[in-house]
Amino acid sequence: MADMQRIPNVLRGMRVPPESLATAPPARRDGVRLLVGRQGAGEVAHHSFRELPGLLRAGDVLVVNTSRTLPAAVDGELGGEPVVAHFSTRRDDGRWVVEVRDPDGRGSTVRRAGGPAGAVVRLAGGGHLVLDEPLDPCGDRLWVASPSMADPVRHLHRHGRPIRYAYTERDQPLAAHQTVFATAAPDGLGSAEMPSAGRPFTAPLVTELVSRGVQIAPIVLHTGVASAEAYEPPYAEPYTVPAATAWQVNAARAAGGRVVAVGTTAVRALESAADRRGVVHPARGWTELVITPERGVRAVDGLLTGLHEPEASHLLMLRAVSGDALLERVYAEALRHRYRWHEFGDVNLLLP
C-alpha cells in the first residue's frame, strides 16, 4: 500500500465523489477534458483534449504504449462457488499471475481471500488453473497459477471479456478498451488493463500531431491487474524499448525537445531503459522499477495521464514528474471543476 506519510496533504485528505467517476466511455474518444499543469510557472489551465497539438511543440516526442488490451476476465468455479479469474501476466515459465475474485451480482467483482495453494479454478469454456503459490509471500491477492490450456491467450479471446470495475455501469466491448496505438504482439500477449492514457487519441489527432512536428515513439509494457482495494506498488512487468525509440528520445532531448510519456506505463518502461545520465538504451525484459520523488525521473520531461485515487502508488511517480506543489494544485482544480476519474475519464498533462 502507498505510504500515506508520503502523500501530499491535500491528496491525503482527498475523496473523489461518486459523480466524478467515469462510468462509461464518452461519446467521442477525444471529447474528454485536459487539465494542464506547468511546473515552471506553477499554473494550471483547462482545455479539451482536442487542443493537445497546440500545447506541444515541434521536436517534442510522445512515448506511447502499444500493448493491446486482452479480454482478461473469465468466469469460473472454485470449491463449488462462482468466481471470476483475472489473467494478469504470463511468466517466462509459462505460468500466469492471476487474481481470483467473487462476482458482486452487478456484473463486476469484489476481492476475495486468495488461494489456498493447490486449489483448482475451473474455467468457462473448459480448462482450469491450479493456484501454485502467492506472488508475494506476504500477500494473498495475486497468485502464480498453472493453466491446463495449451494456449491461454486463445482461451481468453474465446471465453473472456475485459476486466470491469464496480464504478462502471456495464460491460464494454473489447474495442472500447483498446487505444489507437494498440498493436498485436507476435506472441499474442497484451495488457490485463488498458494503457488508458492513450485512449483519447484518435487517428486524425495523431495525424495532426505528426504534421506539426511532434514525434510518436512506441514502447511496449504489458500491464497487469491493479486493485481498487489494495493499492500495491506495481510488480514485475514485461517491457520493450526498441532501438528506434531510444534513438528518438535521446536525439530529441539533445536538440531541446521534450519527452512526454503517455501514461505511467510509458514512464516505467522508458525509465527502466535509461542510465543515470538519462540516456535511453534499447532494452527488453522485466521491470520492477518503482519511481518515487526521491529517485526522480531521468529521461521523461512530461506526463500525460489519467486522474488517480489519492492512495494509488502511481501518485509517487506523478510527484517525481511534477513536484508536490503543482500536483496539489492540479488535483484541487480537478475536484473543483468535477473532472472525471479512471480509464474512461478526463486526462492530466504535466509539462516542464
Side-chain angles (χ1 to χ4, degrees):
M1 181 177 292
D3 183 349
M4 293 300 292
Q5 298 303 314
R6 302 171 72 189
I7 298 173
N9 288 336
V10 71
L11 300 183
R12 195 182 308 158
M14 183 181 77
R15 291 295 175 267
V16 182
E19 60 269 21
S20 291
L21 303 179
T23 60
R28 288 184 51 157
R29 281 181 178 254
D30 60 1
V32 297
R33 290 183 290 174
L34 176 62
L35 185 58
V36 180
R38 296 183 183 274
Q39 299 166 29
E43 64 183 27
V44 178
H46 302 271
H47 297 269
S48 72
F49 190 78
R50 289 190 289 274
E51 295 176 79
L52 178 65
L55 298 169
L56 299 175
R57 302 192 299 244
D60 288 344
V61 176
L62 286 176
V63 180
V64 303
N65 189 356
T66 62
S67 178
R68 68 172 180 166
T69 309
L70 297 174
V74 182
D75 292 327
E77 178 267 329
L78 174 58
E81 299 293 332
V83 295
V84 180
H86 289 176
F87 282 66
S88 179
T89 307
R90 191 189 73 182
R91 292 160 52 109
D92 289 339
D93 62 6
R95 296 187 295 171
W96 282 74
V97 176
V98 302
E99 181 182 14
V100 181
R101 294 174 65 90
D102 288 329
D104 67 358
R106 300 184 300 275
S108 184
T109 59
V110 294
R111 198 190 190 297
R112 71 183 300 277
V120 177
V121 180
R122 305 198 177 279
L123 300 171
H128 63 267
L129 296 170
V130 178
L131 303 182
D132 296 331
E133 58 189 346
L135 179 66
D136 180 348
C138 298
D140 69 350
R141 183 177 76 90
L142 298 170
W143 283 72
V144 180
S146 297
S148 68
M149 305 84 74
D151 188 345
V153 173
R154 185 178 182 186
H155 191 91
L156 293 179
H157 281 287
R158 285 185 171 183
H159 305 288
R161 61 186 180 277
I163 290 174
R164 176 186 161 196
Y165 290 111
Y167 51 78
T168 56
E169 62 187 23
R170 61 183 179 275
D171 285 344
Q172 298 292 336
L174 183 59
H177 293 261
Q178 303 292 11
T179 74
V180 71
F181 306 112
T183 303
D187 58 8
L189 295 179
S191 290
E193 296 180 357
M194 172 176 52
S196 55
R199 190 182 187 280
F201 286 86
T202 62
L205 192 140
V206 172
T207 300
E208 183 179 353
L209 285 164
V210 173
S211 72
R212 288 172 174 251
V214 176
Q215 302 176 60
I216 308 293
I219 59 88
V220 176
L221 187 142
H222 296 317
T223 184
V225 294
S227 170
E229 302 88 8
Y231 301 109
E232 305 101 333
Y235 50 91
E237 294 169 319
Y239 79 104
T240 301
V241 175
T245 291
W247 182 89
Q248 276 182 280
V249 168
N250 294 333
R253 298 194 86 197
R258 299 172 298 183
V259 175
V260 179
V262 178
T264 58
T265 59
V267 178
R268 197 179 192 206
L270 208 59
E271 292 290 324
S272 297
D275 63 24
R276 290 185 176 274
R277 298 171 299 151
V279 177
V280 177
H281 302 273
R284 181 185 182 92
W286 292 79
T287 179
E288 297 187 64
L289 179 63
V290 177
I291 297 170
T292 65
E294 294 75 21
R295 186 237 186 230
V297 287
R298 299 165 183 170
V300 171
D301 302 303
L303 172 61
L304 180 73
T305 184
L307 293 163
H308 303 279
E309 297 282 1
E311 297 89 351
S313 60
H314 288 313
L315 286 179
L316 294 175
M317 179 188 294
L318 269 64
R319 291 174 60 201
V321 173
S322 71
D324 287 355
L326 179 61
L327 195 63
E328 288 189 9
R329 289 198 62 192
V330 164
Y331 273 72
E333 283 291 291
L335 285 172
R336 184 177 301 115
H337 292 270
R338 297 191 179 276
Y339 275 67
R340 309 275 282 194
W341 258 250
H342 294 307
E343 67 267 30
F344 298 131
D346 299 314
V347 283
N348 170 211
L349 176 61
L350 299 171
L351 286 175

